[in-house]
C-alpha cells in the first residue's frame, strides 16, 4: 500500500481515508440502530434504511472533499461522456435504499430527485473538456438549477419517513453541485475539506458545557424541561 509522506509523518492516501470514513459511518450506523432499538420500540428495518441512506449520502459528501477522489472522477468524466453523465445518478442509490426499507417509494419523488441531478449535470456536461477560466451562461444556469428548487421547496416530499426529513436536502445539493463544478467544470480554488483537529473536540466540549450551564437551569425555571427520576 502506498503512503503519502510529508516530513516524517505518514498519511494514508485519500482513497484509503475515504474507505475508512465509510466503514466508520457504517459502524456508527449499526451502533445508532442498536441504541435506538434499546430505548424505543420501532421497526428496525425502516430505521436501518434511513441511517444507511444517510451514511451513503455522507460518504459522497465527504468523498467530494478529497482531491484524490475528485481527480479520479475527473479522469473518468474526461475519458467518457457517458460516465460523466451517469456518475451523479449514483446519488439515487441512497433514495432507493431509503424507500426500500421504509416503503415510501413515490414515482413523483424519484422523478424530482432525478431531475435535480439531471439539469445541472446536463448544463455543465458540454463544458467538461473546455477551460474553466471564464464564467459562462451554462455555469449561471446550473447555479440557478441548484438553488431555485431549494428556495422554492420543490425538494420536499422525497425523504418522508417518519416525516419529511430536511437534512438530506442540503447534503444532496452539495453533492450535485460539487460534482458539477469540481468534477465536470474542474474549477480551481473551489471545494471543501473535512478535517478533524484535536482542538475541535475541546471547543465542542467547552461550548456544550457552557450551553448546558445556561440552558438547563433556564429550561427548568421556565418549566420547559422536566426532570424524571428512574427507578432501578
Amino acid at each position: 500500500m502506498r503512503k503519502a509522506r510529508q516530513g516524517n509523518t505518514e498519511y494514508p492516501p485519500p482513497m484509503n481515508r475515504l474507505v475508512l470514513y465509510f466503514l466508520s459511518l457504517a459502524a456508527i450506523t449499526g451502533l445508532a440502530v442498536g441504541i435506538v432499538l434499546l430505548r424505543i420500540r420501532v421497526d428496525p428495518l425502516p430505521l436501518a434504511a434511513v441511517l444507511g441512506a444517510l451514511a451513503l449520502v455522507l460518504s459522497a459528501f465527504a468523498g467530494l472533499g478529497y482531491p484524490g477522489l475528485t481527480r479520479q472522477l475527473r479522469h473518468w468524466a474526461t475519458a467518457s461522456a457517458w460516465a460523466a453523465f451517469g456518475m451523479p445518478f449514483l446519488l439515487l442509490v441512497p433514495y432507493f435504499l431509503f424507500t426500500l426499507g421504509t416503503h415510501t417509494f413515490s414515482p413523483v419523488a424519484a422523478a424530482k430527485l432525478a431531475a435535480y441531478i439531471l439539469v445541472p449535470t446536463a448544463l455543465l456536461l458540454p463544458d467538461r473538456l473546455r477551460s474553466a477560466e471564464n464564467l459562462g451562461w451554462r455555469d449561471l444556469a446550473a447555479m440557478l438549477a441548484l438553488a431555485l428548487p431549494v428556495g422554492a421547496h420543490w425538494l420536499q416530499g422525497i425523504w418522508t419517513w417518519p416525516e419529511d426529513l430536511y437534512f438530506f436536502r442540503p447534503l444532496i445539493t452539495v453533492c450535485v453541485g460539487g460534482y458539477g463544478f469540481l468534477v465536470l467544470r474542474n474549477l480551481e480554488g473551489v471545494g471543501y475539506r473535512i478535517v478533524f483537529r484535536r482542538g475541535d473536540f475541546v471547543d465542542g466540549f467547552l461550548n456544550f458545557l457552557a450551553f448546558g450551564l445556561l440552558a438547563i437551569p433556564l429550561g427548568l425555571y421556565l418549566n420547559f424541561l422536566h426532570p424524571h427520576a428512574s427507578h432501578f
Side-chain angles (χ1 to χ4, degrees):
M1 181 179 67
R2 294 185 303 168
K3 293 185 178 180
R5 298 179 180 272
Q6 182 176 351
N8 295 325
T9 306
E10 294 184 348
Y11 298 94
M15 290 297 292
N16 287 359
R17 280 187 286 178
L18 183 61
V19 171
L20 290 174
Y21 182 82
F22 176 76
L23 293 177
S24 299
L25 280 176
I28 293 172
T29 298
L31 180 62
V33 171
I35 292 174
V36 172
L37 292 178
L38 288 174
R39 303 290 298 178
I40 304 173
R41 290 186 177 181
V42 63
D43 190 345
L45 181 59
L47 179 62
V50 172
L51 294 178
L54 179 60
L56 290 177
V57 174
L58 285 174
S59 296
F61 174 81
L64 288 170
Y66 286 110
L69 179 61
T70 54
R71 283 195 297 268
Q72 183 61 58
L73 294 175
R74 173 68 180 166
H75 173 73
W76 290 335
T78 303
S80 169
W82 285 109
F85 178 77
M87 283 189 290
F89 287 94
L90 290 174
L91 290 171
L92 291 174
V93 173
Y95 174 73
F96 290 128
L97 174 62
F98 182 99
T99 58
L100 181 65
T102 59
H103 306 290
T104 57
F105 177 78
S106 165
V108 174
K112 288 198 296 184
L113 184 58
Y116 188 69
I117 298 170
L118 170 65
V119 175
T121 301
L123 284 168
L124 296 175
L125 188 65
D127 293 331
R128 79 185 201 284
L129 301 178
R130 299 175 185 172
S131 173
E133 295 178 357
N134 299 320
L135 183 69
W137 71 268
R138 294 181 186 274
D139 300 310
L140 296 175
M143 293 178 193
L144 181 63
L146 288 167
L148 182 60
V150 176
H153 306 290
W154 293 344
L155 298 181
Q156 292 181 350
I158 297 177
W159 316 87
T160 56
W161 189 93
E163 57 185 20
D164 198 2
L165 300 179
Y166 167 80
F167 52 80
F168 277 101
R169 283 177 253 160
L171 291 172
I172 290 292
T173 297
V174 172
C175 290
V176 175
Y179 177 82
F181 288 99
L182 296 176
V183 177
L184 293 181
R185 289 293 280 133
N186 194 25
L187 296 181
E188 297 292 339
V190 176
Y192 56 90
R193 295 291 303 274
I194 300 177
V195 180
F196 294 101
R197 300 169 299 178
R198 185 179 303 174
D200 295 333
F201 295 97
V202 176
D203 292 342
F205 175 75
L206 292 177
N207 280 280
F208 174 77
L209 183 62
F211 177 79
L213 291 175
L214 176 65
I216 293 176
L218 184 61
L220 293 172
Y221 176 76
L222 297 175
N223 292 322
F224 182 76
L225 299 177
H226 301 278
H228 296 275
S230 299
H231 301 282
F232 296 94

